[in-house]
Amino acid sequence: MDALNGSRPEYLYVRGWWDELEREEDCIKFRLESAWEPLHEAWDFICTKFKTLKAYFIGEEPGCEVFLKRDNPEKGWFPDNYYVDACTPDEEYIHEYFTNIDEAFRFIERISATNIITAENVAALNLTWGEENENAYIYLHEFKEV
C-alpha cells in the first residue's frame, strides 16, 4: 500500500497478510487473511493504480456475521450465495455452501427432518435445536455482493 501512494489513506483498513500466490492466464490468485472483514476497500484502492486490474473475492467472518463477495459473472469464480453453519443436537458439525436459497432449504430439511420454507423457519429450528442441546445451532448466512 505504501509503495503505491507514498502513504496509506487513513480510511483504509489493511491489517492482514496474503500467501499462496499463483498466476493463471490473465489472473493473479492468492489467499488473503485479514481481521474482521475482507479488505475490499484496500483492493479497490490498489485497482485504481492499475487500470486493467479488478478485484474479485469471497470473504467470511462468521464471528462478526460478515459474508461478502464480488464475483466475476463471466468467470463464475464465486457462485455460492448461501452458507449453512450448523452443529446438530447430536453434535455433528456441518458447513455447506449453496448457490441458491432453495438448495439451502432442501439441505436443511434433509439434516433436520423439518419442513423449511423461509429463513424464519431456520431461525425457529435454531431455537428448537438449542433447547435439545445447548451446543446445537443452525445458521443460514447470505453473501452480500459488494
Side-chain angles (χ1 to χ4, degrees):
M1 292 294 294
D2 292 343
L4 291 174
N5 194 36
S7 65
R8 175 179 53 87
E10 287 185 32
Y11 68 89
L12 287 180
Y13 180 75
V14 295
R15 180 179 164 203
W17 68 88
W18 58 276
D19 60 9
E20 301 179 28
L21 181 65
E22 297 177 32
R23 182 168 181 145
E24 295 181 2
E25 299 174 14
D26 63 347
C27 176
I28 299 170
K29 181 172 90 172
F30 55 90
R31 179 177 174 82
L32 173 71
E33 292 285 334
S34 61
W36 315 123
E37 66 181 52
L39 302 176
H40 61 89
E41 291 174 339
W43 289 110
D44 290 344
F45 173 76
I46 291 169
C47 289
T48 66
K49 304 298 181 181
F50 302 92
K51 299 302 179 202
T52 60
L53 187 62
K54 303 276 190 256
Y56 302 102
F57 66 90
I58 190 164
E60 53 191 80
E61 170 48 74
C64 295
E65 294 192 31
V66 173
F67 296 86
L68 303 174
K69 76 176 200 168
R70 186 179 302 151
D71 196 9
N72 179 326
E74 294 172 16
K75 301 276 187 180
W77 287 319
F78 308 109
D80 295 319
N81 294 306
Y82 296 91
Y83 171 63
V84 172
D85 180 21
C87 175
T88 68
D90 296 331
E91 297 194 16
E92 176 187 359
Y93 290 91
I94 300 169
H95 310 280
E96 293 288 333
Y97 294 87
F98 302 92
T99 56
N100 67 62
I101 198 162
D102 288 331
E103 290 174 346
F105 287 162
R106 300 305 70 81
F107 176 79
I108 294 168
E109 285 180 339
R110 284 193 306 277
I111 66 170
S112 69
T114 302
N115 190 28
I116 302 294
I117 300 171
T118 66
E120 290 77 19
N121 296 143
V122 178
L125 177 61
N126 183 52
L127 293 173
T128 300
W129 279 10
E131 291 172 0
E132 292 177 39
N133 179 334
E134 66 182 16
N135 296 322
Y137 60 86
I138 186 161
Y139 301 113
L140 174 62
H141 303 285
E142 181 176 7
F143 285 92
K144 177 183 170 192
E145 188 82 27
V146 293

